[in-house]
Amino acid sequence: MRKFTLTTALMMGTAMSTPVLAEGHLQIVEEPLELTIQMNHARYPVYDESWPVEQQASAWTGISLVDQTVGANMRTDENSGKTEALNLMLAGGNLPDIVGSSRLKDFVNQYGPEGAFVPLNDLIAEHAPNMQAYFDSRPEIASAISAADGNMYYIPYLPDGKYGRAYFIRYDWLDAVGMDVPNDVEELEAVLRAFKTQDPNGNGEADEIPFFARQWPELLRLVTLWDGRSSGSDTYHDFHVADGVVTHGYIGEGYREGIANIARWYEEGLIDAEVFTRGSSAREYLLSEDLGGMTHDWFASTSGYNRLSDSIDGFSFRAMVPPASISGARIEEHRRTPIKPDGWAISYTNEYPVETIKYFDFWFTEEGRRLANFGVEGEQYTMVDGAPKFTDEVLNSDSPVNAQLWAVGSQLQSRGYFQDYEYEKQWSNEVALEGIALYDEGDYLIDQFLGVAFTADEQAVYDRNWPSVRDYMLERQQQWILGNGDVNADWDDYMATLNDMGLQEVLEVMNSAYERQYN
Ligand code: CA
């Protein structure tokens, strides 16, 4: 822990930032205080003390964060890199005061109860009125981030906004084949067949690919059209809750029915033959080559492809409401998660837990939340009619708005803060906003499974059985879709194999953890 004067802190700042000095009500400490931080995230591998947002937070609160990140280069792999850096930090024994990281939740929920991180519940209740008010209004969030011992060990990044992915279709192709936006699964099949057989791109060849997906699990969303489920959260292949019980989509009747029909569509050429292998460039390639007809993908980025109307005559790729399923249900299975496993925590070596929780709480004040979302007033935004509005310079830059914000220390997902969707709305294109409005008219979203925290015994059962069960589910699923085997004929054997592999034990520990955490 180093102490130094505020003047020094300001002199260290970059010229681009002119922090507004201490408004009394945000000030936390009389004497400037430095706290060390480890920060791991693919987009910002270390905490940058010169970020204008850090400078402003320091000027307001009196607390400055000093980078003490180890393992910053361990971020090549999205799945393993972050945890490796955290393990390295823990193994080194020299813990910083604050640990901020993507994928922090499981790590702190394992090592917090063992003493490596400070339990936050009492600190929040006594010293963090803004966070307490948030958790009081969203008790399911507090439940979701709690460890098996009932304590919270990290403050998460809390995304805002409801909508994520949606069904998009070529409206100009619908015109070309003389059909309306499909209302239900039967009409959808007829439309996809027309796309395949009636040459909507007009080049005289049957080269159209009716349904494609940039991420192949998006193909599985189609099982919802037969009342199946593919995931209960924004993580693919996740569990979901049905009638208060945790279960898995890939053992459901609707799933079986859905896979049987997806396999039929695949055989008929209504689905991209390369859906499992084409990869992340599928959307870019198939749209810009005027080949793809329909997908399920993010509102904002997918809407952006309407710029192709410059080169493809009449190009119109817009959202359509979810077609009604065989039982008449319209479901959009994907939505933004209200909570991420990313955020920050207080390590046991921190000598200033009260000051630190007050600092965490600062980011939930009106000023702190605005700073976390929009950057610094007068630089990234100005106040217009009492609300922050990005400057024209920010909105018209060649660099994406979110990238500009990361560069000044705003919108950091390894900081615990509550996002404000308004930040994104200001730079969303009109087609995306029109699509979101369309989805807002219906009640298509469904509740999310927010995850559980296992005891050590439950974790052992899960770790022993789930990876092989899941692998087997995915292996069979792909075989059936590709026409290798028949899902209906194979179903009883499939279920028996899953049970032999320990599926029921996994469901038991999921449900015991779920019951403890939410009921
Ligand atoms: Ca064609």
Side-chain angles (χ1 to χ4, degrees):
M1 212 76 53
R2 290 182 284 158
K3 288 199 175 184
F4 73 150
T5 66
L6 196 56
T7 323
T8 318
L10 294 175
M11 285 169 66
M12 285 167 63
T14 61
M16 28 179 317
S17 170
T18 315
V20 179
L21 272 172
E23 307 225 345
H25 70 288
L26 297 174
Q27 192 179 344
I28 296 169
V29 286
E30 296 288 329
E31 291 289 312
L33 173 66
E34 284 191 343
L35 298 171
T36 54
I37 182 168
Q38 157 113 7
M39 186 167 267
N40 295 106
H41 192 289
R43 298 190 188 106
Y44 29 88
V46 295
Y47 193 87
D48 188 337
E49 295 156 26
S50 71
W51 277 326
V53 169
E54 156 62 26
Q55 297 289 310
Q56 179 67 77
S58 167
W60 271 340
T61 64
I63 293 177
S64 310
L65 302 193
V66 178
D67 182 54
Q68 191 189 303
T69 301
V70 297
N73 54 345
M74 291 185 170
R75 55 198 170 84
T76 46
D77 182 325
E78 266 289 311
N79 293 311
S80 66
K82 319 286 166 32
T83 311
E84 263 175 38
L86 293 174
N87 287 336
L88 184 73
M89 172 201 71
L90 200 60
N94 182 22
L95 264 61
D97 297 313
I98 297 170
V99 177
S101 178
S102 45
R103 297 171 186 268
L104 184 67
K105 180 185 172 186
D106 289 347
F107 187 80
V108 295
N109 283 349
Q110 179 180 352
Y111 294 109
E114 293 177 14
F117 297 98
V118 177
L120 304 178
N121 300 38
D122 291 346
L123 282 171
I124 292 170
E126 286 165 32
H127 305 289
N130 297 288
M131 286 199 289
Q132 187 64 53
Y134 178 86
F135 288 127
D136 285 347
S137 68
R138 303 290 300 273
E140 77 283 9
I141 301 282
S143 295
I145 66 174
S146 295
D149 68 358
N151 279 312
M152 289 189 256
Y153 290 94
Y154 85 114
I155 300 301
Y157 154 53
L158 299 154
D160 194 24
K162 290 191 287 185
Y163 298 99
R165 296 183 175 95
Y167 293 99
F168 275 75
I169 196 163
R170 285 286 297 269
Y171 278 68
D172 55 324
W173 281 16
L174 287 170
D175 286 345
V177 299
M179 296 174 95
D180 292 327
V181 175
N183 227 337
D184 57 28
V185 58
E186 278 181 32
E187 290 182 17
L188 175 61
E189 181 174 329
V191 162
L192 295 177
R193 189 171 292 119
F195 283 180
K196 183 72 190 167
T197 58
Q198 295 181 30
D199 192 25
N201 68 7
N203 66 354
E205 296 172 38
D207 55 351
E208 286 80 0
I209 291 171
F211 183 93
F212 64 92
R214 176 166 66 113
Q215 287 135 325
W216 66 262
E218 292 303 326
L219 169 63
L220 305 172
R221 302 287 185 195
L222 299 180
V223 302
T224 58
L225 301 173
W226 288 272
D227 298 332
R229 291 294 303 275
S230 79
S231 180
S233 76
D234 75 337
T235 301
Y236 290 128
H237 323 299
D238 202 357
F239 296 82
H240 68 276
V241 179
D243 301 325
V245 175
V246 182
T247 183
H248 200 280
Y250 300 165
I251 58 172
E253 292 294 307
Y255 169 77
R256 183 181 71 175
E257 189 74 18
I259 291 293
N261 282 283
I262 291 171
R264 187 171 57 76
W265 285 12
Y266 184 89
E267 187 181 12
E268 210 184 312
L270 307 187
I271 289 162
D272 184 8
E274 296 174 46
V275 67
F276 289 109
T277 52
R278 199 184 291 276
S280 58
S281 62
R283 184 179 60 173
E284 171 74 27
Y285 173 74
L286 294 173
L287 289 179
S288 55
E289 294 295 314
D290 200 12
L291 295 172
M294 178 191 180
T295 195
H296 189 257
D297 209 323
W298 287 86
F299 270 111
S301 60
T302 311
S303 297
Y305 281 91
N306 286 289
R307 62 179 175 266
L308 289 171
S309 60
D310 288 347
S311 51
I312 301 171
D313 193 33
F315 184 95
S316 176
F317 199 51
R318 291 186 287 137
M320 56 178 267
V321 303
S325 75
I326 51 171
S327 72
R330 291 185 193 271
I331 286 175
E332 174 47 63
E333 190 182 51
H334 182 255
R335 68 187 297 174
R336 291 187 190 211
T337 180
I339 177 179
K340 280 287 192 182
D342 318 338
W344 56 15
I346 305 177
S347 73
Y348 78 100
T349 54
N350 186 320
E351 294 171 29
Y352 299 91
V354 171
E355 288 81 358
T356 307
I357 203 74
K358 286 180 175 175
Y359 180 75
F360 283 7
D361 196 53
F362 157 73
W363 296 99
F364 282 72
T365 64
E366 185 184 338
E367 295 89 340
R369 188 179 178 210
R370 195 182 297 145
L371 183 63
N373 276 283
F374 293 91
V376 177
E377 182 172 8
E379 295 188 15
Q380 284 74 44
Y381 74 92
T382 56
M383 293 299 282
V384 178
D385 298 330
K389 180 151 189 343
F390 286 121
T391 63
D392 289 343
E393 212 174 2
V394 167
L395 292 173
N396 299 328
S397 166
D398 288 338
S399 169
V401 174
N402 49 4
Q404 294 180 66
L405 292 170
W406 297 325
V408 298
S410 179
Q411 293 285 347
L412 300 188
Q413 298 178 8
S414 35
R415 168 188 290 140
Y417 78 103
F418 181 20
Q419 194 178 48
D420 182 348
Y421 178 67
E422 191 57 38
Y423 116 89
E424 183 179 324
K425 200 172 171 185
Q426 289 185 21
W427 46 284
S428 295
N429 73 43
E430 281 175 25
V431 176
L433 294 176
E434 172 197 292
I436 287 169
L438 188 67
Y439 272 54
D440 232 3
E441 286 168 20
D443 189 18
Y444 312 127
L445 298 181
I446 49 182
D447 284 343
Q448 284 221 307
F449 174 53
L450 298 177
V452 294
F454 289 129
T455 63
D457 287 348
E458 290 164 348
Q459 186 73 51
V461 171
Y462 180 88
D463 290 346
R464 188 169 63 238
N465 297 339
W466 179 243
S468 53
V469 169
R470 181 180 177 279
D471 285 352
Y472 182 70
M473 285 171 159
L474 298 187
E475 180 191 322
R476 295 311 309 270
Q477 164 184 88
Q478 186 166 337
Q479 288 171 348
W480 287 324
I481 292 171
L482 296 177
N484 181 5
D486 177 298
V487 61
N488 286 313
D490 296 345
W491 190 256
D492 289 348
D493 285 344
Y494 167 72
M495 288 300 298
T497 304
L498 291 177
N499 289 334
D500 287 347
M501 295 173 93
L503 169 67
Q504 295 307 324
E505 290 172 54
V506 173
L507 291 174
E508 275 165 30
V509 298
M510 289 299 299
N511 278 290
S512 60
Y514 181 78
E515 189 69 22
R516 178 177 61 242
Q517 203 157 343
Y518 294 95
N519 295 336

